[in-house]
């Protein structure tokens, strides 16, 4: 059981480390949005590059922070019934969700996402818009990386719920927060 606890703590640490680092992208996102709005609104200059950079940064922020949000159970969920249940029933719901839905879906997205990146790289894909960003494979690589992190967090969550159901409390959870 201790090995499972260490595995879960290690996966949480990876997700938290990447999530905390990626959260810093909110600062350049704010700067890019402000510059884009000011130049577009007051200087009547439009920049496709700035607009594409905005959605690229947003995508990386979301994809790299999703697993981190799952650690603290701060991800988006419809929690009408689960909140009223006891800890054991909640653990069963989380375990089933992680094993049957989150982890398999994330694995499929990783597999398909890498082919998406490879195709983009081989085609030397660039933005269709004039003045858009080149090297489209770079932003597309965020998709399988983000889902790889989510897969790892699904495994960690499944392990934690299993340990809860077996009467063990996972150590190291507080270390990553």
């Amino acid at each position: 059981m201790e090995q499972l606890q260490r595995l879960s703590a290690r996966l949480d640490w990876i997700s938290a480390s990447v999530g905390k680092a990626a959260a810093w992208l909110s600062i350049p996102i704010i700067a890019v949005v402000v510059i884009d709005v000011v130049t577009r609104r007051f200087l009547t200059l439009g920049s496709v590059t700035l607009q594409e950079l905005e959605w690229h940064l947003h995508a990386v922020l979301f994809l790299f922070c999703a697993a981190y949000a799952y650690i603290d159970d701060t991800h988006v969920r419809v929690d009408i019934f689960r909140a009223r249940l006891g800890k054991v029933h909640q653990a069963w719901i989380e375990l089933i969700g992680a094993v049957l839905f989150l982890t398999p879906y994330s694995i499929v997205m990783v597999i398909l996402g890498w082919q998406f990146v490879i195709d983009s790289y081989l085609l030397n894909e660039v933005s269709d818009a004039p003045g858009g960003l080149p090297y489209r494979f770079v932003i597309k690589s965020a998709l399988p990386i983000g889902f790889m992190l989510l897969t790892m967090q699904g495994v960690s969550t499944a392990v934690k719920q299993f340990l809860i159901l077996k009467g063990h409390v996972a150590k190291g959870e507080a270390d990553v927060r």
Side-chain angles (χ1 to χ4, degrees):
M1 294 297 173
E2 192 173 315
Q3 288 177 327
L4 288 176
Q5 290 174 334
R6 280 198 305 269
L7 171 67
S8 178
R10 190 168 294 130
L11 294 174
D12 285 353
W13 180 84
I14 293 168
S15 295
S17 298
V18 172
K20 288 175 184 179
W24 284 96
L25 287 174
S26 58
I27 294 171
I29 289 172
I30 292 167
V32 169
V33 169
V34 168
I35 292 167
D36 188 34
V37 168
V38 168
T39 57
R40 183 176 303 280
R41 184 75 171 161
F42 300 109
L43 305 175
T44 61
L45 300 172
S47 173
V48 173
T49 302
L50 283 178
Q51 289 178 338
E52 287 189 1
L53 188 58
E54 286 174 36
W55 70 263
H56 285 205
L57 291 172
H58 274 104
V60 172
L61 178 69
F62 174 79
L63 288 165
F64 287 14
C65 289
Y68 181 44
Y70 199 48
I71 294 172
D72 288 328
D73 203 25
T74 55
H75 58 290
V76 176
R77 70 163 67 234
V78 179
D79 208 4
I80 298 170
F81 302 109
R82 182 184 165 274
R84 297 179 186 164
L85 299 174
K87 294 291 182 192
V88 171
H89 288 100
Q90 287 181 356
W92 272 110
I93 290 171
E94 284 297 320
L95 179 62
I96 291 167
V99 171
L100 295 181
F101 299 108
L102 175 67
T103 305
Y105 176 77
S106 296
I107 290 170
V108 168
M109 291 301 294
V110 169
I111 293 166
L112 296 177
W114 282 121
Q115 190 58 51
F116 191 52
V117 173
I118 291 166
D119 291 345
S120 179
Y121 177 78
L122 293 175
L123 292 170
N124 197 24
E125 186 179 10
V126 297
S127 173
D128 292 336
L133 296 174
Y135 310 116
R136 192 51 71 90
F137 71 91
V138 173
I139 185 59
K140 288 184 176 185
S141 67
L143 184 72
I145 293 169
F147 276 99
M148 192 178 311
L149 291 165
L150 206 50
T151 300
M152 291 186 325
Q153 201 53 49
V155 169
S156 176
T157 297
V159 166
K160 282 187 246 181
Q161 302 315 309
F162 173 77
L163 291 171
I164 288 169
L165 291 170
K166 289 294 184 183
H168 298 281
V169 177
K171 294 178 185 174
E173 286 182 48
D175 298 343
V176 297
R177 292 183 187 124

